[in-house]
């Protein structure tokens, strides 16, 4: 049975309106609601199992909480479900002290009998770490973010000390470990819910019918159409200011703008026609400088991109400046490295690859392509901050490459299918990108280009370089910023020479809203949150 069939708001409402009190309640909820026009459906309802931006925006901060989080002011680590923690001097043991009286969601499909405790934290991470755990293989046994950062190799044990104390024992010090626990992926699940589902032989529901401790609980899901959340009134960090949150799934950027202008949506993702928004006295255009990278990834396991000369030739043929103007309306920087300039590890000595069709053609001849070369570019079907319009970008690149005798076929699919097929390596090249989950530089290197990320499918280049891997591993073993900077700069130079991906742009993320919607939504990294948003 599909999730949309299991959670039917319409059927509940039909029964409910027969009662006067229920009718009044629903009217009140409707008046105290925000509608967010999103660009795509979530791929999963458990952020542990995917790295999809549509899932992170829709689910991570609405339904779930983490042990720790990032401070909005300075990106420092801040308490969340853990009220405090202690790290031993050698960095190998971290103890978390949990809050008491943290309630899980009560929904149509689960009624918790207890609040959060250490069992829930231990279960949430042992599911990822322990291949013998009955939930490890549920939803395919893939935990891409954690596998990318080699989470299981870092942790020796996760143990319950008492009802409200959990200890992580690490095999060695890891300078990004706390940052990884604060990401949108490190969510805490309910062990009681998991045990109930296992007893009913419905284990897969844990990632379809979500239960968390976050500010909202799922009420309804219609795939490709909408998500409806109700406020979690027992939320530990004070209840949300709105009673209902609706994600209106509208893949068309024109469609989202139209809905904003006709008051069908209060907030929209990735707005186009920004001048029209800024000229409207009732609307507000927001922007945030994101930690992100938009790139052209080369499948290094398939011809012709198993040859570094071909990768460099294609890089010389692409006019990045033209892409910045046409796709980002000038609201992005040309990327010379996968790290943005505002990262402390960025190597500003790296020079960008010159736009030169002449050099491009010479390198192709040197690589043995005297005659025409053909390959495909896969263009993602959704808008992201790092690439607002991949299809148009693909057409620009197609035109650039035609000047050097290269024929390009453009391929696209529905988003979930696109991600699956790319992760399986069916593409020759792909236009994608990455929005950082936290400010540590490793969050760009390990998930995108480490050898371990080939197995998880997030390394779209399928590129594995042992020297590169050794450098980023050494960088994690020290907290000395100077040493880490040196190692990351060496890693960037390997990428500049090997070119498994061609960095294209570091962009800003935009959002448009009606002025009566108040509160902070966007951040430099991670997904959005409606926990403190109101409508006046």
């Amino acid at each position: 049975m599909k999730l949309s069939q299991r959670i039917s708001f319409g059927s509940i409402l039909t029964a409910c309106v027969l009662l006067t009190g229920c009718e009044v309640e629903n009217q009140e909820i409707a008046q105290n609601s925000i509608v967010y026009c999103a660009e795509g459906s979530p791929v999963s309802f458990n952020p542990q199992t995917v790295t999809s931006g549509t899932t992170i925006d829709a689910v991570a901060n609405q339904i779930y909480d983490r042990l720790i989080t990032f401070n909005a002011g300075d990106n420092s680590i801040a308490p969340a479900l853990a009220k405090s923690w202690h790290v031993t001097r050698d960095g190998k043991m971290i103890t978390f002290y949990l809050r008491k009286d943290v309630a899980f969601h009560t929904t149509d499909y689960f009624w918790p009998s207890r609040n959060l405790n250490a069992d829930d934290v231990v279960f949430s991470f042992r599911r990822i770490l322990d291949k013998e755990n009955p939930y490890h293989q549920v939803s395919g046994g893939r935990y891409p973010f954690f596998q990318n950062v080699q989470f299981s190799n870092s942790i020796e044990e996760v143990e319950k000390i008492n009802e409200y104390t959990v200890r992580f024992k690490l095999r060695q010090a890891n300078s990004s470990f706390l940052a990884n626990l604060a990401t949108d992926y490190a969510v805490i699940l309910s062990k009681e819910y998991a045990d109930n589902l296992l007893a009913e032989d419905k284990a897969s529901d844990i990632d379809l019918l979500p239960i968390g401790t976050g500010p909202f609980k799922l009420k309804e899901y219609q795939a490709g159409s909408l998500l409806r959340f109700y406020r979690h009134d027992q939320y530990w960090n004070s209840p949300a200011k709105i009673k209902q949150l609706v994600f209106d799934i509208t893949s068309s950027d024109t469609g989202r703008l139209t809905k904003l202008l006709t008051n069908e949506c209060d907030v929209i993702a990735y707005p186009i026609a920004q001048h029209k928004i800024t000229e409207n006295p009732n609307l507000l255009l927001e922007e945030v400088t994101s930690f992100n990278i938009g790139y052209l990834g080369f499948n290094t396991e398939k011809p012709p991109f198993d040859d570094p000369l071909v990768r460099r030739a294609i890089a010389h043929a692409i006019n990045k400046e033209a892409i910045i103007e046409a796709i980002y309306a000038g609201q992005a920087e040309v990327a010379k490295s996968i790290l943005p300039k505002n990262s402390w590890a960025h190597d500003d000595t790296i020079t960008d690859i010159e736009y030169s069709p002449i050099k491009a053609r010479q390198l192709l001849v040197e690589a043995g392509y005297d005659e025409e070369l053909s390959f495909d570019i896969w263009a993602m079907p959704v808008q992201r901050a790092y690439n607002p319009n991949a299809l148009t970008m693909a057409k620009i690149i197609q035109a650039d490459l035609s000047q050097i005798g290269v024929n390009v076929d453009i391929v696209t699919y529905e988003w979930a299918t696109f991600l699956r097929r790319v992760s399986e390596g069916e593409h020759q090249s792909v236009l994608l990108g990455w929005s950082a989950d936290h400010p540590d530089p490793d969050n760009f290197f390990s998930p995108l280009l480490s050898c371990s990320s080939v197995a998880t499918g997030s390394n779209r280049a399928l590129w594995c370089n042992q020297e590169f891997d050794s450098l980023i591993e050494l960088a994690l073993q020290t907290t000395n910023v100077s040493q880490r900077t040196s190692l990351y700069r060496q890693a960037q130079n390997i990428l500049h020479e090997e070119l498994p991906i061609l960095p294209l742009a570091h962009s800003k993320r935009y959002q448009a809203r009606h002025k009566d919607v108040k509160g902070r939504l966007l951040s430099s990294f991670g997904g959005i949150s409606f926990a403190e948003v109101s409508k006046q």
Side-chain angles (χ1 to χ4, degrees):
M1 187 180 292
K2 294 182 181 179
L3 176 56
S4 57
Q5 293 173 318
R6 295 180 183 180
I7 308 176
S8 174
F9 178 80
S11 61
I12 295 169
L13 184 59
T14 300
C16 185
V17 295
L18 297 175
L19 302 173
T20 304
C22 196
E23 187 175 63
V24 171
E25 178 187 359
N26 280 286
Q27 289 174 353
E28 182 184 354
I29 289 173
Q31 291 167 1
N32 196 0
S33 301
I34 285 180
V35 179
Y36 175 74
C37 273
E39 78 285 5
S41 296
V43 178
S44 168
F45 279 91
N46 181 356
Q48 295 175 336
T49 65
V50 294
T51 56
S52 160
T54 52
T55 294
I56 298 306
D57 278 352
V59 175
N61 294 298
Q62 322 315 332
I63 292 177
Y64 298 103
D65 289 304
R66 289 145 291 283
L67 285 172
I68 51 180
T69 188
F70 290 106
N71 190 309
D74 59 5
N75 295 333
S76 60
I77 304 294
L81 295 179
K83 61 183 179 181
S84 62
W85 59 94
H86 175 262
V87 183
T88 55
R89 187 169 296 179
D90 63 4
K92 293 184 179 181
M93 196 173 295
I94 306 172
T95 305
F96 291 94
Y97 305 95
L98 305 180
R99 298 180 189 276
K100 299 178 182 179
D101 302 322
V102 174
F104 281 101
H105 299 155
T106 297
T107 68
D108 301 327
Y109 49 90
F110 178 63
W111 297 265
S113 66
R114 63 166 176 81
N115 290 334
L116 174 132
N117 64 28
D119 292 328
D120 303 302
V121 177
V122 172
F123 164 74
S124 298
F125 290 104
R126 284 188 180 169
R127 174 188 176 176
I128 298 167
L129 297 167
D130 182 5
K131 293 183 179 179
E132 301 303 316
N133 186 287
Y135 274 93
H136 182 79
Q137 292 298 328
V138 171
S139 299
R142 296 169 68 88
Y143 304 91
F145 173 80
F146 298 97
Q147 290 163 334
N148 291 342
V149 299
Q150 301 187 54
F151 198 66
S152 61
N153 294 338
S154 300
I155 297 176
E156 183 178 314
E157 179 63 280
V158 183
E159 60 179 345
K160 172 183 176 180
I161 305 303
N162 59 45
E163 283 297 293
Y164 296 100
T165 308
V166 176
R167 181 170 294 154
F168 287 76
K169 293 182 179 179
L170 307 187
R171 292 189 172 91
Q172 59 189 17
N174 184 322
S175 56
S176 68
F177 186 77
L178 285 177
N180 288 333
L181 285 189
T183 65
D184 291 338
Y185 305 103
V187 298
I188 304 303
L189 311 175
S190 165
K191 184 179 187 300
E192 181 186 14
Y193 180 47
D195 290 343
N196 290 355
L197 291 176
L198 205 60
E200 297 171 2
D201 196 26
K202 296 179 179 178
S204 61
D205 280 2
I206 198 168
D207 299 328
L208 298 173
L209 301 170
I211 293 295
T213 61
F216 297 95
K217 54 188 177 181
L218 183 65
K219 186 66 178 178
E220 176 190 12
Y221 174 49
Q222 296 178 17
S225 179
L226 68 82
L227 293 119
R228 190 185 308 275
F229 302 96
Y230 276 8
R231 182 172 68 191
H232 176 30
D233 288 326
Q234 289 76 44
Y235 187 47
W236 62 271
N237 197 17
S238 75
K241 297 177 181 179
I242 54 172
K243 291 191 174 183
Q244 178 179 235
L245 171 64
V246 176
F247 272 56
D248 182 322
I249 311 303
T250 307
S251 59
S252 163
D253 48 15
T254 304
R256 292 196 301 276
L257 179 61
T258 300
K259 287 183 176 182
L260 181 72
L261 295 173
T262 57
N263 298 316
E264 294 176 67
C265 288
D266 300 298
V267 188
I268 66 170
Y270 308 106
I272 59 169
Q274 295 174 2
H275 65 282
K276 182 176 290 189
I277 294 169
T278 56
E279 291 170 358
N280 190 313
N282 299 315
L283 302 179
L284 180 66
L285 182 69
E286 296 178 284
E287 67 176 56
V288 64
T289 300
S290 297
F291 276 67
N292 65 24
I293 178 67
Y295 64 79
L296 174 64
F298 303 112
N299 187 339
T300 60
E301 290 192 348
K302 278 186 176 183
F305 297 121
D306 53 348
D307 186 344
L309 274 180
V310 177
R311 302 198 292 266
R312 187 160 294 273
I314 298 305
H316 275 297
I318 294 174
N319 187 341
K320 292 185 184 179
E321 294 284 357
I323 287 174
I324 296 295
E325 288 303 316
I327 303 300
Y328 301 91
Q331 298 299 314
E333 293 181 353
V334 168
K336 302 175 184 178
S337 161
I338 64 171
L339 286 184
K341 287 182 179 179
N342 51 351
S343 170
W344 53 261
H346 174 78
D347 186 353
D348 55 10
T349 66
I350 290 177
T351 57
D352 198 17
I353 295 171
E354 178 189 3
Y355 170 56
S356 173
I358 293 173
K359 286 186 179 180
R361 190 62 218 162
Q362 289 172 345
L363 287 174
L364 283 180
V365 172
E366 186 179 341
Y369 290 94
D370 297 333
E371 299 179 359
E372 282 193 347
L373 170 66
S374 297
F375 65 86
D376 59 50
I377 291 180
W378 288 37
M380 63 180 191
V382 299
Q383 295 80 35
R384 308 303 297 163
Y386 54 70
N387 193 330
N389 194 329
L391 185 59
T392 299
M393 185 184 290
K395 292 176 181 177
I396 292 172
I397 293 174
Q398 182 184 54
D400 283 344
L401 297 184
S402 69
Q403 297 180 37
I404 61 168
V406 174
N407 293 321
V408 170
D409 292 321
I410 299 172
V411 177
T412 193
Y413 293 96
E414 176 272 331
W415 184 223
T417 303
F418 180 90
L419 287 177
R420 176 181 58 80
R421 299 184 73 158
V422 168
S423 69
E424 293 170 356
E426 295 184 22
H427 61 292
Q428 286 179 289
S429 67
V430 61
L431 285 170
L432 262 173
W434 180 256
S435 292
D437 309 297
H438 59 69
D440 192 280
D442 183 70
N443 194 238
F444 282 89
F445 293 110
S446 290
L448 288 181
L449 291 162
S450 66
C451 294
S452 61
S453 65
V454 173
T456 65
S458 67
N459 184 335
R460 314 302 188 179
L462 285 77
W463 178 78
C464 175
N465 181 291
Q466 295 300 334
E467 182 184 1
F468 174 84
D469 257 33
S470 296
L471 289 167
I472 61 175
E473 185 174 335
L474 286 171
L476 290 175
Q477 294 173 15
T478 177
T479 57
N480 185 300
V481 173
S482 178
Q483 291 178 19
R484 294 188 78 200
T485 299
S486 175
L487 291 165
Y488 284 138
R489 288 189 173 187
Q490 293 176 61
Q492 287 170 80
N493 277 282
I494 290 174
L495 296 179
H496 189 64
E497 290 300 315
E498 289 286 314
L499 277 179
I501 65 175
L502 174 64
L504 296 174
H506 302 296
S507 70
K508 294 181 178 180
R509 179 171 181 175
Y510 287 89
Q511 209 162 247
R513 64 168 82 179
H514 286 275
K515 286 187 175 179
D516 61 354
V517 177
K518 307 294 183 181
R520 180 175 176 271
L521 268 170
L522 292 178
S523 61
S524 297
F525 49 84
I528 59 176
S529 172
F530 284 85
E532 298 181 2
V533 177
S534 63
K535 187 176 177 182
Q536 297 179 355

